[in-house]
Amino acid sequence: MTPPDTPTVFVIDDDVGVRVSIQGLLKSARLRCASFGTAEEFLRNKPADGPSCLVLDVSLPGVNGLDLQRNLADAGVRIPIVFITGHGDIPMSVKAMKSGAVEFLTKPFQDQDLLDAIHQALERDRVTRQQQSKLAEVRKRYEALTAREREVMGLVVSGKLNKQIASDLGTSEITVKIHRGHVMRKMQADSLADLVRMAAKLELSSGKK
């Protein structure tokens, strides 16, 4: 059984020879690979559980590489992309890179250049997944707070003192201290600075509660 954190490289190229060549290269580098002849075939595939990246030909039948990049971004799919092309130009490569591509390689390219780009893309996705996992955990803790505890947390991270919070909420300072203690414990915050960082991740300052 494959471990869930095993990286997967998705290859989309309508040239069978190119797909076979890249698959062989990835196998020699001990990387799991799934290849497709069109963007539509890839979109019907189940997303990877672990870190992944996309080696994507620009010129494809149907949905081309740049359109797929845009469609994935619009759908909130942030898989890192390494573009490959047999006839790329500077405006095309600039557009791809500005839209977040890791690399834009022109065929024929060196195997090592492709491997380097793939490893960079996989590391980027690994870091992104770790950040998303941490954010999900912080959000889970925040959702466990009561409505009043969320109010207190918002006022605490805005820099207000306990007595000011008590005045704003129409309660006693002792009650605020109790709520504040609950917030620190439930959020697993070691300090006020730690709590402020969590609030920033949750974008509480933007009023998103």
Side-chain angles (χ1 to χ4, degrees):
M1 190 171 181
T2 306
D5 59 346
T6 299
T8 302
V9 181
F10 295 104
V11 179
I12 308 178
D13 196 305
D14 60 328
D15 187 322
V16 176
V18 171
R19 294 204 304 272
V20 170
S21 176
I22 294 176
Q23 281 180 303
L25 176 65
L26 295 174
K27 185 177 180 180
S28 69
R30 297 183 179 180
L31 288 170
R32 183 169 59 177
C33 173
S35 65
F36 309 90
T38 66
E40 289 83 354
E41 287 178 27
F42 166 73
L43 292 172
R44 289 194 292 269
N45 184 69
K46 181 178 179 292
D49 293 328
S52 60
C53 73
L54 184 57
V55 176
L56 177 61
D57 187 21
V58 174
S59 301
L60 293 168
V63 178
N64 67 40
L66 293 175
D67 286 341
L68 177 60
Q69 181 188 35
R70 185 178 65 251
N71 292 343
L72 289 173
D74 290 345
V77 179
R78 304 300 177 191
I79 183 171
I81 297 174
V82 176
F83 276 104
I84 55 176
T85 181
H87 41 77
D89 53 37
I90 292 176
M92 188 185 293
S93 62
V94 169
K95 181 178 180 181
M97 298 300 282
K98 280 188 174 180
S99 297
V102 174
E103 186 59 273
F104 194 98
L105 300 174
T106 303
K107 302 172 186 176
F109 43 77
Q110 296 295 317
D111 287 351
Q112 192 58 51
D113 289 340
L114 178 58
L115 283 176
D116 288 346
I118 287 172
H119 283 300
Q120 182 183 346
L122 290 174
E123 180 59 25
R124 179 187 291 186
D125 195 48
R126 191 175 288 109
V127 170
T128 298
R129 286 170 179 268
Q130 288 174 347
Q131 291 172 340
Q132 290 174 338
S133 177
K134 289 178 181 178
L135 177 58
E137 177 58 32
V138 171
R139 185 172 285 120
K140 183 179 179 181
R141 295 175 199 167
Y142 181 73
E143 289 171 353
L145 300 179
T146 65
R148 178 46 63 96
E149 286 166 354
R150 292 182 191 182
E151 283 184 295
V152 170
M153 178 174 168
L155 293 169
V156 167
V157 299
S158 72
K160 290 197 173 186
L161 302 173
N162 287 344
K163 63 181 179 181
Q164 294 173 313
I165 297 173
S167 176
D168 287 349
L169 298 180
T171 188
S172 70
E173 194 172 339
I174 292 176
T175 300
V176 170
K177 286 180 180 179
I178 292 171
H179 285 311
R180 184 168 180 160
H182 289 166
V183 168
M184 296 294 286
R185 178 177 54 80
K186 289 184 179 180
M187 293 301 295
Q188 298 178 31
D190 296 325
S191 64
L192 175 58
D194 198 17
L195 191 67
V196 170
R197 281 191 290 271
M198 291 180 186
K201 288 180 181 178
L202 294 169
E203 298 181 305
L204 297 189
S205 59
S206 302
K208 296 180 181 179
K209 300 180 182 180

